Amino acid sequence: MMGLGPKHYGKHCRCYTIVEDKLIILIARLGFLGLLHMEVFNQRLEQEYNASVILTAPTVPYKAVLLLSSKLIKEYGEEEITILNPCHFPDRNQVKEYLEPVVIGTILSPDDYIGKIISLCKNRRGIQKNMVYIDEQRVMMQYQFPLNEIVIDFYDSLKSLSSGYASFDYEDAGYQAADLIKMDIYLNGKCVEELTMVVHREKAYSSGKAIAERLKDTIPQQLFEIAIQAAIGSKVIARETIKAVRKNVLAKCYGGDITRKMKLLKRQAEGKKRMRKIGNVEIPKDAFINVLKRQKDK
């Protein structure tokens, strides 16, 4: 991956950065032109370089203005800090306000798709700044977006809604205050750090529920029950359960005392309970990609 980035993207390309981490040997932050581009790049790494790749949810650099009494000021040496990893997102009781990056996006599209595009932008917390007709059939719209809302699949959704005719470009517009929270994903009580993300408080429940549902559809059944939870701090906001693969232990019981059947069922339940404590859940690689895909914007 070290050789692949500079060779294909250029030494000074901003869409490619190498980040060292204490837990993982190498982290590469890459910029893609949509989820399809990301999937193709991932397949090429595996097929051509025999690399084992773990995809994580994309993130943007947030900022936090710390309270003067916060211990984090002594740790970081400044009042305003930049957060690149959602796992390092500070608690609310240590922060005066959170800041998220915003952009000014420009959309060019035939006027037949104005209604669908406006609805899409509204769902992504967009604020309309301008809308003008550049000719009889084409319209130019300008919106202010939080960068986090367009960094994943906004471009894909825009192309889908406009039958491929709309184009999109954006430029940096600084930072603005926002009500942000960190959302963790748990599998049987164990936090999956690769799926930890920062979301707006208004969209936390819908995002957590959607991620839990997609994981339920992606992770295969195990011999024990799997609990998928989305949580904010210690509060669980969404939960899905993958039922265990169950063997019919009563198949050879053709009658007799009911207590025998109850003993067999009880023994099976105790075995699955022990297995759940020591069993590990392996998440398929395509699960991380499926989690990134939002529900279709209406």
Side-chain angles (χ1 to χ4, degrees), residues 187-188 214-228 241-245 280-287 290:
L187 294 181
N188 281 350
R214 285 194 286 271
L215 285 176
K216 180 181 179 181
D217 296 335
T218 305
I219 298 176
Q221 282 185 303
Q222 307 289 330
L223 294 176
F224 50 91
E225 188 178 87
I226 302 174
I228 305 170
T241 303
I242 302 177
K243 297 297 183 181
V245 178
N280 293 322
V281 181
E282 293 186 3
I283 305 177
K285 290 183 178 180
D286 58 348
N290 292 335

PDB file of all heavy atoms in Angstrom, residues 187-188 214-228 241-245 280-287 290:
ATOM      1  N   LEU A 187     -21.059  -5.634  19.379  1.00  0.00           N
ATOM      2  CA  LEU A 187     -21.456  -6.997  19.035  1.00  0.00           C
ATOM      3  C   LEU A 187     -21.263  -7.854  20.274  1.00  0.00           C
ATOM      4  O   LEU A 187     -20.119  -8.055  20.722  1.00  0.00           O
ATOM      5  CB  LEU A 187     -20.619  -7.548  17.873  1.00  0.00           C
ATOM      6  CG  LEU A 187     -20.798  -6.871  16.516  1.00  0.00           C
ATOM      7  CD1 LEU A 187     -19.916  -7.541  15.473  1.00  0.00           C
ATOM      8  CD2 LEU A 187     -22.254  -6.912  16.073  1.00  0.00           C
ATOM      9  N   ASN A 188     -22.365  -8.317  20.846  1.00  0.00           N
ATOM     10  CA  ASN A 188     -22.334  -9.094  22.093  1.00  0.00           C
ATOM     11  C   ASN A 188     -21.553  -8.363  23.188  1.00  0.00           C
ATOM     12  O   ASN A 188     -20.754  -8.960  23.911  1.00  0.00           O
ATOM     13  CB  ASN A 188     -21.738 -10.480  21.846  1.00  0.00           C
ATOM     14  CG  ASN A 188     -22.749 -11.428  21.230  1.00  0.00           C
ATOM     15  OD1 ASN A 188     -23.934 -11.124  21.155  1.00  0.00           O
ATOM     16  ND2 ASN A 188     -22.290 -12.582  20.768  1.00  0.00           N
ATOM     17  N   ARG A 214     -28.457  -3.304   8.837  1.00  0.00           N
ATOM     18  CA  ARG A 214     -27.574  -3.759   7.772  1.00  0.00           C
ATOM     19  C   ARG A 214     -26.598  -4.813   8.275  1.00  0.00           C
ATOM     20  O   ARG A 214     -26.265  -5.766   7.560  1.00  0.00           O
ATOM     21  CB  ARG A 214     -26.834  -2.565   7.167  1.00  0.00           C
ATOM     22  CG  ARG A 214     -27.714  -1.717   6.257  1.00  0.00           C
ATOM     23  CD  ARG A 214     -26.879  -0.775   5.423  1.00  0.00           C
ATOM     24  NE  ARG A 214     -26.363   0.330   6.200  1.00  0.00           N
ATOM     25  CZ  ARG A 214     -26.998   1.485   6.377  1.00  0.00           C
ATOM     26  NH1 ARG A 214     -28.180   1.673   5.828  1.00  0.00           N
ATOM     27  NH2 ARG A 214     -26.456   2.453   7.080  1.00  0.00           N
ATOM     28  N   LEU A 215     -26.114  -4.643   9.502  1.00  0.00           N
ATOM     29  CA  LEU A 215     -25.227  -5.668  10.073  1.00  0.00           C
ATOM     30  C   LEU A 215     -25.970  -6.984  10.275  1.00  0.00           C
ATOM     31  O   LEU A 215     -25.409  -8.064  10.068  1.00  0.00           O
ATOM     32  CB  LEU A 215     -24.650  -5.179  11.402  1.00  0.00           C
ATOM     33  CG  LEU A 215     -23.550  -4.130  11.325  1.00  0.00           C
ATOM     34  CD1 LEU A 215     -23.164  -3.672  12.724  1.00  0.00           C
ATOM     35  CD2 LEU A 215     -22.329  -4.686  10.610  1.00  0.00           C
ATOM     36  N   LYS A 216     -27.220  -6.903  10.675  1.00  0.00           N
ATOM     37  CA  LYS A 216     -28.017  -8.116  10.857  1.00  0.00           C
ATOM     38  C   LYS A 216     -28.172  -8.880   9.546  1.00  0.00           C
ATOM     39  O   LYS A 216     -28.132 -10.120   9.526  1.00  0.00           O
ATOM     40  CB  LYS A 216     -29.397  -7.759  11.418  1.00  0.00           C
ATOM     41  CG  LYS A 216     -30.300  -8.972  11.646  1.00  0.00           C
ATOM     42  CD  LYS A 216     -31.658  -8.551  12.174  1.00  0.00           C
ATOM     43  CE  LYS A 216     -32.559  -9.772  12.370  1.00  0.00           C
ATOM     44  NZ  LYS A 216     -33.897  -9.386  12.854  1.00  0.00           N
ATOM     45  N   ASP A 217     -28.323  -8.159   8.437  1.00  0.00           N
ATOM     46  CA  ASP A 217     -28.478  -8.802   7.136  1.00  0.00           C
ATOM     47  C   ASP A 217     -27.156  -9.326   6.583  1.00  0.00           C
ATOM     48  O   ASP A 217     -27.162 -10.178   5.689  1.00  0.00           O
ATOM     49  CB  ASP A 217     -29.087  -7.814   6.130  1.00  0.00           C
ATOM     50  CG  ASP A 217     -30.499  -7.393   6.516  1.00  0.00           C
ATOM     51  OD1 ASP A 217     -31.165  -8.170   7.224  1.00  0.00           O
ATOM     52  OD2 ASP A 217     -30.925  -6.290   6.109  1.00  0.00           O
ATOM     53  N   THR A 218     -26.033  -8.813   7.094  1.00  0.00           N
ATOM     54  CA  THR A 218     -24.725  -9.161   6.529  1.00  0.00           C
ATOM     55  C   THR A 218     -24.001 -10.246   7.312  1.00  0.00           C
ATOM     56  O   THR A 218     -23.402 -11.151   6.722  1.00  0.00           O
ATOM     57  CB  THR A 218     -23.836  -7.901   6.472  1.00  0.00           C
ATOM     58  OG1 THR A 218     -24.516  -6.866   5.749  1.00  0.00           O
ATOM     59  CG2 THR A 218     -22.523  -8.209   5.769  1.00  0.00           C
ATOM     60  N   ILE A 219     -24.039 -10.168   8.641  1.00  0.00           N
ATOM     61  CA  ILE A 219     -23.296 -11.125   9.470  1.00  0.00           C
ATOM     62  C   ILE A 219     -24.009 -12.474   9.449  1.00  0.00           C
ATOM     63  O   ILE A 219     -25.206 -12.546   9.723  1.00  0.00           O
ATOM     64  CB  ILE A 219     -23.176 -10.612  10.918  1.00  0.00           C
ATOM     65  CG1 ILE A 219     -22.393  -9.297  10.941  1.00  0.00           C
ATOM     66  CG2 ILE A 219     -22.492 -11.638  11.807  1.00  0.00           C
ATOM     67  CD1 ILE A 219     -22.312  -8.666  12.310  1.00  0.00           C
ATOM     68  N   PRO A 220     -23.309 -13.561   9.133  1.00  0.00           N
ATOM     69  CA  PRO A 220     -23.954 -14.879   9.091  1.00  0.00           C
ATOM     70  C   PRO A 220     -24.326 -15.378  10.483  1.00  0.00           C
ATOM     71  O   PRO A 220     -23.764 -14.941  11.499  1.00  0.00           O
ATOM     72  CB  PRO A 220     -22.882 -15.777   8.452  1.00  0.00           C
ATOM     73  CG  PRO A 220     -21.583 -15.093   8.747  1.00  0.00           C
ATOM     74  CD  PRO A 220     -21.877 -13.622   8.751  1.00  0.00           C
ATOM     75  N   GLN A 221     -25.280 -16.283  10.527  1.00  0.00           N
ATOM     76  CA  GLN A 221     -25.703 -16.867  11.802  1.00  0.00           C
ATOM     77  C   GLN A 221     -24.583 -17.694  12.420  1.00  0.00           C
ATOM     78  O   GLN A 221     -23.783 -18.310  11.721  1.00  0.00           O
ATOM     79  CB  GLN A 221     -26.939 -17.758  11.596  1.00  0.00           C
ATOM     80  CG  GLN A 221     -28.250 -17.003  11.452  1.00  0.00           C
ATOM     81  CD  GLN A 221     -29.424 -17.945  11.367  1.00  0.00           C
ATOM     82  OE1 GLN A 221     -29.478 -18.805  10.497  1.00  0.00           O
ATOM     83  NE2 GLN A 221     -30.375 -17.786  12.262  1.00  0.00           N
ATOM     84  N   GLN A 222     -24.548 -17.690  13.754  1.00  0.00           N
ATOM     85  CA  GLN A 222     -23.574 -18.481  14.503  1.00  0.00           C
ATOM     86  C   GLN A 222     -24.319 -19.525  15.334  1.00  0.00           C
ATOM     87  O   GLN A 222     -25.549 -19.596  15.314  1.00  0.00           O
ATOM     88  CB  GLN A 222     -22.754 -17.569  15.410  1.00  0.00           C
ATOM     89  CG  GLN A 222     -22.107 -16.396  14.695  1.00  0.00           C
ATOM     90  CD  GLN A 222     -20.969 -16.796  13.804  1.00  0.00           C
ATOM     91  OE1 GLN A 222     -20.273 -17.775  14.067  1.00  0.00           O
ATOM     92  NE2 GLN A 222     -20.751 -16.039  12.728  1.00  0.00           N
ATOM     93  N   LEU A 223     -23.559 -20.305  16.071  1.00  0.00           N
ATOM     94  CA  LEU A 223     -24.170 -21.295  16.957  1.00  0.00           C
ATOM     95  C   LEU A 223     -24.712 -20.658  18.226  1.00  0.00           C
ATOM     96  O   LEU A 223     -25.313 -21.339  19.051  1.00  0.00           O
ATOM     97  CB  LEU A 223     -23.151 -22.382  17.323  1.00  0.00           C
ATOM     98  CG  LEU A 223     -22.696 -23.269  16.164  1.00  0.00           C
ATOM     99  CD1 LEU A 223     -21.622 -24.223  16.641  1.00  0.00           C
ATOM    100  CD2 LEU A 223     -23.872 -24.026  15.574  1.00  0.00           C
ATOM    101  N   PHE A 224     -24.488 -19.360  18.374  1.00  0.00           N
ATOM    102  CA  PHE A 224     -24.991 -18.640  19.541  1.00  0.00           C
ATOM    103  C   PHE A 224     -25.638 -17.347  19.068  1.00  0.00           C
ATOM    104  O   PHE A 224     -25.398 -16.869  17.957  1.00  0.00           O
ATOM    105  CB  PHE A 224     -23.858 -18.327  20.534  1.00  0.00           C
ATOM    106  CG  PHE A 224     -22.659 -17.691  19.901  1.00  0.00           C
ATOM    107  CD1 PHE A 224     -22.545 -16.322  19.804  1.00  0.00           C
ATOM    108  CD2 PHE A 224     -21.642 -18.480  19.374  1.00  0.00           C
ATOM    109  CE1 PHE A 224     -21.454 -15.723  19.216  1.00  0.00           C
ATOM    110  CE2 PHE A 224     -20.538 -17.890  18.779  1.00  0.00           C
ATOM    111  CZ  PHE A 224     -20.440 -16.520  18.695  1.00  0.00           C
ATOM    112  N   GLU A 225     -26.460 -16.767  19.913  1.00  0.00           N
ATOM    113  CA  GLU A 225     -27.173 -15.535  19.576  1.00  0.00           C
ATOM    114  C   GLU A 225     -26.229 -14.342  19.563  1.00  0.00           C
ATOM    115  O   GLU A 225     -25.335 -14.230  20.396  1.00  0.00           O
ATOM    116  CB  GLU A 225     -28.286 -15.304  20.604  1.00  0.00           C
ATOM    117  CG  GLU A 225     -29.230 -14.179  20.276  1.00  0.00           C
ATOM    118  CD  GLU A 225     -30.337 -14.033  21.297  1.00  0.00           C
ATOM    119  OE1 GLU A 225     -30.120 -13.320  22.303  1.00  0.00           O
ATOM    120  OE2 GLU A 225     -31.405 -14.658  21.117  1.00  0.00           O
ATOM    121  N   ILE A 226     -26.408 -13.445  18.592  1.00  0.00           N
ATOM    122  CA  ILE A 226     -25.559 -12.258  18.466  1.00  0.00           C
ATOM    123  C   ILE A 226     -26.425 -11.023  18.666  1.00  0.00           C
ATOM    124  O   ILE A 226     -27.423 -10.833  17.963  1.00  0.00           O
ATOM    125  CB  ILE A 226     -24.875 -12.190  17.091  1.00  0.00           C
ATOM    126  CG1 ILE A 226     -24.032 -13.444  16.838  1.00  0.00           C
ATOM    127  CG2 ILE A 226     -24.009 -10.940  16.976  1.00  0.00           C
ATOM    128  CD1 ILE A 226     -23.445 -13.508  15.451  1.00  0.00           C
ATOM    129  N   ALA A 227     -26.035 -10.189  19.613  1.00  0.00           N
ATOM    130  CA  ALA A 227     -26.748  -8.938  19.882  1.00  0.00           C
ATOM    131  C   ALA A 227     -25.979  -7.793  19.236  1.00  0.00           C
ATOM    132  O   ALA A 227     -24.792  -7.600  19.502  1.00  0.00           O
ATOM    133  CB  ALA A 227     -26.885  -8.704  21.381  1.00  0.00           C
ATOM    134  N   ILE A 228     -26.639  -7.049  18.371  1.00  0.00           N
ATOM    135  CA  ILE A 228     -26.054  -5.883  17.705  1.00  0.00           C
ATOM    136  C   ILE A 228     -26.678  -4.638  18.323  1.00  0.00           C
ATOM    137  O   ILE A 228     -27.898  -4.479  18.289  1.00  0.00           O
ATOM    138  CB  ILE A 228     -26.315  -5.912  16.190  1.00  0.00           C
ATOM    139  CG1 ILE A 228     -25.810  -7.223  15.585  1.00  0.00           C
ATOM    140  CG2 ILE A 228     -25.662  -4.726  15.507  1.00  0.00           C
ATOM    141  CD1 ILE A 228     -26.235  -7.426  14.151  1.00  0.00           C
ATOM    142  N   THR A 241     -31.082  -8.455  16.797  1.00  0.00           N
ATOM    143  CA  THR A 241     -30.594  -9.742  17.288  1.00  0.00           C
ATOM    144  C   THR A 241     -30.554 -10.753  16.147  1.00  0.00           C
ATOM    145  O   THR A 241     -31.531 -10.906  15.414  1.00  0.00           O
ATOM    146  CB  THR A 241     -31.481 -10.278  18.418  1.00  0.00           C
ATOM    147  OG1 THR A 241     -31.540  -9.312  19.475  1.00  0.00           O
ATOM    148  CG2 THR A 241     -30.926 -11.585  18.963  1.00  0.00           C
ATOM    149  N   ILE A 242     -29.397 -11.409  16.011  1.00  0.00           N
ATOM    150  CA  ILE A 242     -29.255 -12.500  15.046  1.00  0.00           C
ATOM    151  C   ILE A 242     -29.477 -13.807  15.807  1.00  0.00           C
ATOM    152  O   ILE A 242     -28.693 -14.162  16.686  1.00  0.00           O
ATOM    153  CB  ILE A 242     -27.868 -12.487  14.378  1.00  0.00           C
ATOM    154  CG1 ILE A 242     -27.639 -11.152  13.674  1.00  0.00           C
ATOM    155  CG2 ILE A 242     -27.733 -13.641  13.394  1.00  0.00           C
ATOM    156  CD1 ILE A 242     -26.258 -11.022  13.051  1.00  0.00           C
ATOM    157  N   LYS A 243     -30.539 -14.504  15.478  1.00  0.00           N
ATOM    158  CA  LYS A 243     -30.870 -15.735  16.179  1.00  0.00           C
ATOM    159  C   LYS A 243     -29.823 -16.813  15.926  1.00  0.00           C
ATOM    160  O   LYS A 243     -29.203 -16.872  14.856  1.00  0.00           O
ATOM    161  CB  LYS A 243     -32.244 -16.242  15.744  1.00  0.00           C
ATOM    162  CG  LYS A 243     -33.386 -15.288  16.086  1.00  0.00           C
ATOM    163  CD  LYS A 243     -33.523 -15.098  17.585  1.00  0.00           C
ATOM    164  CE  LYS A 243     -34.711 -14.211  17.924  1.00  0.00           C
ATOM    165  NZ  LYS A 243     -34.834 -13.989  19.387  1.00  0.00           N
ATOM    166  N   ALA A 244     -29.639 -17.673  16.904  1.00  0.00           N
ATOM    167  CA  ALA A 244     -28.653 -18.745  16.793  1.00  0.00           C
ATOM    168  C   ALA A 244     -29.158 -19.855  15.877  1.00  0.00           C
ATOM    169  O   ALA A 244     -30.365 -20.083  15.748  1.00  0.00           O
ATOM    170  CB  ALA A 244     -28.344 -19.316  18.178  1.00  0.00           C
ATOM    171  N   VAL A 245     -28.205 -20.517  15.225  1.00  0.00           N
ATOM    172  CA  VAL A 245     -28.544 -21.725  14.469  1.00  0.00           C
ATOM    173  C   VAL A 245     -28.895 -22.817  15.474  1.00  0.00           C
ATOM    174  O   VAL A 245     -28.084 -23.174  16.326  1.00  0.00           O
ATOM    175  CB  VAL A 245     -27.360 -22.166  13.580  1.00  0.00           C
ATOM    176  CG1 VAL A 245     -27.707 -23.446  12.843  1.00  0.00           C
ATOM    177  CG2 VAL A 245     -27.005 -21.070  12.596  1.00  0.00           C
ATOM    178  N   ASN A 280     -16.382 -15.728  19.522  1.00  0.00           N
ATOM    179  CA  ASN A 280     -16.027 -14.482  18.849  1.00  0.00           C
ATOM    180  C   ASN A 280     -16.802 -14.369  17.545  1.00  0.00           C
ATOM    181  O   ASN A 280     -16.972 -15.363  16.824  1.00  0.00           O
ATOM    182  CB  ASN A 280     -14.523 -14.439  18.549  1.00  0.00           C
ATOM    183  CG  ASN A 280     -13.692 -14.351  19.817  1.00  0.00           C
ATOM    184  OD1 ASN A 280     -14.071 -13.665  20.763  1.00  0.00           O
ATOM    185  ND2 ASN A 280     -12.559 -15.040  19.845  1.00  0.00           N
ATOM    186  N   VAL A 281     -17.254 -13.167  17.234  1.00  0.00           N
ATOM    187  CA  VAL A 281     -18.019 -12.919  16.016  1.00  0.00           C
ATOM    188  C   VAL A 281     -17.078 -12.346  14.961  1.00  0.00           C
ATOM    189  O   VAL A 281     -16.464 -11.297  15.178  1.00  0.00           O
ATOM    190  CB  VAL A 281     -19.178 -11.943  16.269  1.00  0.00           C
ATOM    191  CG1 VAL A 281     -19.980 -11.731  14.990  1.00  0.00           C
ATOM    192  CG2 VAL A 281     -20.068 -12.461  17.393  1.00  0.00           C
ATOM    193  N   GLU A 282     -16.936 -13.039  13.852  1.00  0.00           N
ATOM    194  CA  GLU A 282     -16.113 -12.550  12.750  1.00  0.00           C
ATOM    195  C   GLU A 282     -17.005 -11.780  11.783  1.00  0.00           C
ATOM    196  O   GLU A 282     -17.984 -12.304  11.266  1.00  0.00           O
ATOM    197  CB  GLU A 282     -15.438 -13.715  12.025  1.00  0.00           C
ATOM    198  CG  GLU A 282     -14.388 -14.438  12.873  1.00  0.00           C
ATOM    199  CD  GLU A 282     -13.637 -15.480  12.071  1.00  0.00           C
ATOM    200  OE1 GLU A 282     -13.898 -15.592  10.853  1.00  0.00           O
ATOM    201  OE2 GLU A 282     -12.791 -16.169  12.655  1.00  0.00           O
ATOM    202  N   ILE A 283     -16.627 -10.528  11.543  1.00  0.00           N
ATOM    203  CA  ILE A 283     -17.412  -9.673  10.659  1.00  0.00           C
ATOM    204  C   ILE A 283     -16.874  -9.806   9.243  1.00  0.00           C
ATOM    205  O   ILE A 283     -15.684  -9.574   9.008  1.00  0.00           O
ATOM    206  CB  ILE A 283     -17.337  -8.205  11.110  1.00  0.00           C
ATOM    207  CG1 ILE A 283     -17.771  -8.075  12.575  1.00  0.00           C
ATOM    208  CG2 ILE A 283     -18.195  -7.321  10.226  1.00  0.00           C
ATOM    209  CD1 ILE A 283     -17.658  -6.679  13.107  1.00  0.00           C
ATOM    210  N   PRO A 284     -17.703 -10.188   8.276  1.00  0.00           N
ATOM    211  CA  PRO A 284     -17.231 -10.270   6.891  1.00  0.00           C
ATOM    212  C   PRO A 284     -16.777  -8.910   6.380  1.00  0.00           C
ATOM    213  O   PRO A 284     -17.256  -7.866   6.827  1.00  0.00           O
ATOM    214  CB  PRO A 284     -18.479 -10.762   6.120  1.00  0.00           C
ATOM    215  CG  PRO A 284     -19.382 -11.335   7.165  1.00  0.00           C
ATOM    216  CD  PRO A 284     -19.101 -10.586   8.430  1.00  0.00           C
ATOM    217  N   LYS A 285     -15.836  -8.928   5.431  1.00  0.00           N
ATOM    218  CA  LYS A 285     -15.305  -7.671   4.908  1.00  0.00           C
ATOM    219  C   LYS A 285     -16.381  -6.843   4.211  1.00  0.00           C
ATOM    220  O   LYS A 285     -16.378  -5.614   4.276  1.00  0.00           O
ATOM    221  CB  LYS A 285     -14.151  -7.954   3.936  1.00  0.00           C
ATOM    222  CG  LYS A 285     -12.905  -8.490   4.629  1.00  0.00           C
ATOM    223  CD  LYS A 285     -11.782  -8.670   3.638  1.00  0.00           C
ATOM    224  CE  LYS A 285     -10.523  -9.168   4.336  1.00  0.00           C
ATOM    225  NZ  LYS A 285      -9.408  -9.360   3.372  1.00  0.00           N
ATOM    226  N   ASP A 286     -17.303  -7.519   3.524  1.00  0.00           N
ATOM    227  CA  ASP A 286     -18.339  -6.760   2.819  1.00  0.00           C
ATOM    228  C   ASP A 286     -19.315  -6.093   3.775  1.00  0.00           C
ATOM    229  O   ASP A 286     -20.082  -5.213   3.376  1.00  0.00           O
ATOM    230  CB  ASP A 286     -19.097  -7.655   1.843  1.00  0.00           C
ATOM    231  CG  ASP A 286     -19.741  -8.849   2.533  1.00  0.00           C
ATOM    232  OD1 ASP A 286     -19.413  -9.102   3.709  1.00  0.00           O
ATOM    233  OD2 ASP A 286     -20.565  -9.526   1.899  1.00  0.00           O
ATOM    234  N   ALA A 287     -19.280  -6.492   5.066  1.00  0.00           N
ATOM    235  CA  ALA A 287     -20.165  -5.848   6.045  1.00  0.00           C
ATOM    236  C   ALA A 287     -19.806  -4.380   6.212  1.00  0.00           C
ATOM    237  O   ALA A 287     -20.677  -3.521   6.370  1.00  0.00           O
ATOM    238  CB  ALA A 287     -20.090  -6.575   7.390  1.00  0.00           C
ATOM    239  N   ASN A 290     -21.248  -2.491   3.296  1.00  0.00           N
ATOM    240  CA  ASN A 290     -22.704  -2.399   3.387  1.00  0.00           C
ATOM    241  C   ASN A 290     -23.144  -1.389   4.448  1.00  0.00           C
ATOM    242  O   ASN A 290     -24.181  -0.738   4.298  1.00  0.00           O
ATOM    243  CB  ASN A 290     -23.299  -3.773   3.714  1.00  0.00           C
ATOM    244  CG  ASN A 290     -23.141  -4.749   2.570  1.00  0.00           C
ATOM    245  OD1 ASN A 290     -23.022  -4.347   1.417  1.00  0.00           O
ATOM    246  ND2 ASN A 290     -23.122  -6.033   2.870  1.00  0.00           N
TER     247      ASN A 290
END
